[in-house]
Each structure stands twice: as C-alpha cells, then as structure tokens.
Amino acid sequence: MNFLIRSRDAFARAGFNVALMGNASDMRTLNPDLRITQAHIDDIRAIVAEIRKRQTGPLWLVGTSQGTVSATAAAVAMGTEIDGVVLSASVTDRRWSLGAVPNQDLDKVLVPVLVHHHKRDACRVTQAYLAESMMKKFTHAPVKKFIELDGGENPTGDPCEALHYHGYIGVEDQAVAQMVEWIKDPKP
C-alpha cells in the first residue's frame, strides 16, 4: 500500500516511465542500515544502468519513507548518473538510523532535489519540520525545493504507515501532481 506503489499509474498518466524497485532477492528485509551499504547502492546503480539502456529520457530516483534513505544514498554515490531525486516523507530523525537522510553527506548530491512532505505526517521519524531544516545541507544541488501539502481524509492505522498522512492518504493525486510539475521544471 506504499504511496508510490499506489500512485504509479498517476505518474505514468503524466507521461513518466515508472520502474518500481522492490527488495533484492538477497536482501528480503531491507532495514535502514542496509539501505546505505555499498551492496544496496550497487543494486540501484545496476537498475539505473539497465533503465538507461532501454530509454534515453531523464531518470529520477523517487523514494518515500524508508525509500528516501535508499534514494539519498544513491544520489550521494551516483552524482550525475541520475538526473534528480525526490524524497517524500523523508526519514528525518537522526537518532533512528545512520541512514536517516540528515545523517548522509547531502552536500555530495549534485542533482536537483525535491523534498516533499505532508504537513500532518505524525510518524515520529519523518517529521516535516526536520525535513525543511535539512534543505540547507544540499549545498551542491543545482536547485532544491521543499514542498509541504495538507489535506486528505480518513487516515487509518499506524501514523508511520501508508494509509495515514505519512502515505498521503486522500491527497495522492495532489502529491503526484506537485512532484510531476517540479520534476518537469525544477525551480527553487
């Protein structure tokens, strides 16, 4: 029920080719600390290389929640091998994991960065105010932006799960539209 998986068709309708990355067969449980390992980054690099063989358009990494740990680690390691990165519901609690986005070398990200959060995300490790404060650390990103949206309805379950505001419940189309618009024309 992950936000990006639920929204894949909306990205496709916007004209994007979408490739979803699941856990590697040798890493069935992908905890945050594994997401910053060289083996995981090598897996992402191999997927990016395969996609590049199949299409010539821009290639952006988009991660949500723990996926922001992976997307950030890859962006740090891959430099301009990718065209940009979108981090939604970023892992912002530095104490939770070494891989928390603010713990990574954000000054090594060399591509456009969009950090996107839901104002009412109540997950203790993805707090929006911390996401906004980490923006200044993307010192070498050619353009960066923080977008916070509000709205949605009927959140259910754990506030750190996909069917709560953490997963953009009820505002998926609005979140996708904001991300798509920015990816197509990144502006501060």
Side-chain angles (χ1 to χ4, degrees), residues 173-188:
D173 288 343
Q174 182 181 352
V176 169
Q178 290 174 338
M179 292 175 194
V180 163
E181 180 181 333
W182 199 83
I183 289 169
K184 287 181 176 180
D185 188 20
K187 293 180 181 171

Side-chain angles (χ1 to χ4, degrees), residues 3-4 6-11 13-14 16 62 86 88 114-120 145 147-153 165 167-183:
F3 158 67
L4 292 176
R6 287 193 329 263
S7 301
R8 65 188 179 272
D9 292 338
F11 282 100
R13 283 191 300 275
F16 289 12
V62 182
V86 176
S88 68
L114 174 62
V115 175
H116 197 282
H117 268 260
H118 193 292
K119 184 176 185 172
R120 291 189 263 173
K145 184 165 183 134
I147 296 177
E148 183 179 67
L149 68 77
D150 199 359
E153 56 190 29
Y165 295 119
Y168 297 92
I169 196 68
V171 289
E172 294 91 344
D173 288 343
Q174 182 181 352
V176 169
Q178 290 174 338
M179 292 175 194
V180 163
E181 180 181 333
W182 199 83
I183 289 169

Side-chain angles (χ1 to χ4, degrees), residues 110-182:
L110 305 176
V111 294
V113 177
L114 174 62
V115 175
H116 197 282
H117 268 260
H118 193 292
K119 184 176 185 172
R120 291 189 263 173
D121 185 343
C123 182
R124 69 189 189 297
V125 299
T126 62
Q127 298 170 7
Y129 81 94
L130 291 173
E132 185 173 18
S133 70
M134 74 184 179
M135 295 302 296
K136 64 183 175 280
K137 295 181 179 185
F138 289 103
T139 56
H140 291 99
V143 62
K144 58 191 174 189
K145 184 165 183 134
F146 176 77
I147 296 177
E148 183 179 67
L149 68 77
D150 199 359
E153 56 190 29
N154 302 320
T156 60
D158 185 331
C160 292
E161 293 298 330
L163 299 179
H164 215 282
Y165 295 119
H166 176 73
Y168 297 92
I169 196 68
V171 289
E172 294 91 344
D173 288 343
Q174 182 181 352
V176 169
Q178 290 174 338
M179 292 175 194
V180 163
E181 180 181 333
W182 199 83

Side-chain angles (χ1 to χ4, degrees), residues 16-143:
F16 289 12
N17 292 323
V18 177
L20 300 172
M21 293 183 209
N23 292 355
S25 60
D26 61 343
M27 292 184 195
R28 295 313 306 162
T29 303
L30 196 53
N31 70 45
D33 293 333
L34 287 174
R35 290 174 181 271
I36 60 172
T37 64
Q38 190 61 52
H40 184 58
I41 293 167
D42 289 346
D43 285 345
I44 294 170
R45 183 175 267 125
I47 292 167
V48 166
E50 184 60 32
I51 292 169
R52 290 272 191 216
K53 286 181 193 174
R54 297 174 186 212
Q55 64 95 30
T56 59
L59 193 149
W60 286 62
L61 297 178
V62 182
T64 196
S65 192
Q66 286 193 50
T68 64
V69 174
S70 298
T72 302
V76 166
M78 296 176 70
T80 57
E81 292 176 54
I82 59 171
D83 295 291
V85 65
V86 176
L87 308 173
S88 68
S90 296
V91 174
T92 57
D93 185 342
R94 299 174 71 98
R95 299 164 296 169
W96 187 67
S97 165
L98 291 175
V101 175
N103 288 342
Q104 297 191 47
D105 294 326
L106 303 183
D107 61 322
K108 293 183 180 174
V109 175
L110 305 176
V111 294
V113 177
L114 174 62
V115 175
H116 197 282
H117 268 260
H118 193 292
K119 184 176 185 172
R120 291 189 263 173
D121 185 343
C123 182
R124 69 189 189 297
V125 299
T126 62
Q127 298 170 7
Y129 81 94
L130 291 173
E132 185 173 18
S133 70
M134 74 184 179
M135 295 302 296
K136 64 183 175 280
K137 295 181 179 185
F138 289 103
T139 56
H140 291 99
V143 62

